[in-house]
Amino acid sequence: QMVSQGWKYFRGNFYYSSQVTRTWYSAQQFCLSRDSHLTSVTSESEQELLYRTAGGLLYWIGLSKAGSEGYWYWVDDLLFNKVQSVKFWIPGEPNNTGNNEHCADIKMSSLQSRNDASCDKEFLFICKQPYMPSEP
Ligand code: 2F8
Ligand code: CA
């Protein structure tokens, strides 16, 4: 059923790539309305799936900053591993241009694909929903 609505299955999760652009917050609201979140990216294989899906276009992911310290967190509540995540940023990112880049997108077709951008920008986006088999 999910698949017929455009969701793709990969290793325990369903992913949905939007065909319209939204701000980061509005994109997250859309994902919530579909029982999902903007996607987290916690492994190399997942990063590879997503940058291939993105195909060089800009897509919001579920990474944003919180608190006075501005630490990064995944909006689906998976643990953000700062050390493991270093290799997923574009070299030189995150650079917090204009002190106003508090959301993250996938920008490059490469393992090093991540950029921080203003949350008010309108980009395509990718939702992720964990697959939870229900009883027959
Ligand atoms: O050069 C990297 C730099 O490029 C843009 O700013 C000029 C990006 N802005 C947006 O994507 C909105 C910066 O985030 C990026 O660091
Ligand atoms: Ca940036």
Side-chain angles (χ1 to χ4, degrees):
Q1 194 216 343
M2 298 274 292
V3 169
S4 68
Q5 290 165 24
W7 295 74
K8 291 208 170 66
Y9 181 80
F10 178 74
R11 297 194 182 180
N13 294 281
F14 285 98
Y15 299 85
Y16 177 84
S17 317
S18 79
Q19 293 177 297
V20 298
T21 61
R22 289 177 175 248
T23 64
W24 186 90
Y25 183 80
S26 171
Q28 166 61 3
Q29 292 300 115
F30 176 91
C31 295
L32 287 175
S33 78
R34 300 294 193 277
D35 289 322
S36 63
H37 293 87
L38 280 175
T39 189
S40 51
V41 189
T42 60
S43 69
E44 228 167 271
S45 61
E46 190 174 29
Q47 171 80 342
E48 192 168 84
L49 170 82
L50 293 178
Y51 80 67
R52 284 187 181 168
T53 300
L57 298 178
L58 282 159
Y59 283 83
W60 285 128
I61 58 172
L63 188 60
S64 179
K65 280 189 268 184
S68 50
E69 302 289 314
Y71 53 86
W72 291 100
Y73 72 95
W74 292 118
V75 72
D76 66 3
D77 277 342
L78 291 192
L79 196 68
F80 181 73
N81 183 331
K82 191 171 171 174
V83 173
Q84 189 218 34
S85 291
V86 169
K87 63 175 179 284
F88 296 143
W89 293 101
I90 295 168
E93 307 293 349
N95 62 356
N96 197 16
T97 298
N99 264 327
N100 189 37
E101 296 196 316
H102 308 320
C103 292
D105 61 71
I106 284 182
K107 188 176 181 179
M108 303 291 288
S109 263
S110 143
L111 265 192
Q112 300 177 315
S113 67
R114 201 175 284 171
N115 178 37
D116 59 343
S118 165
C119 306
D120 298 329
K121 296 270 179 192
E122 297 194 0
F123 295 150
L124 301 165
F125 56 94
I126 301 172
C127 306
K128 173 183 179 180
Q129 180 185 114
Y131 174 53
M132 295 195 207
S134 57
E135 294 176 41

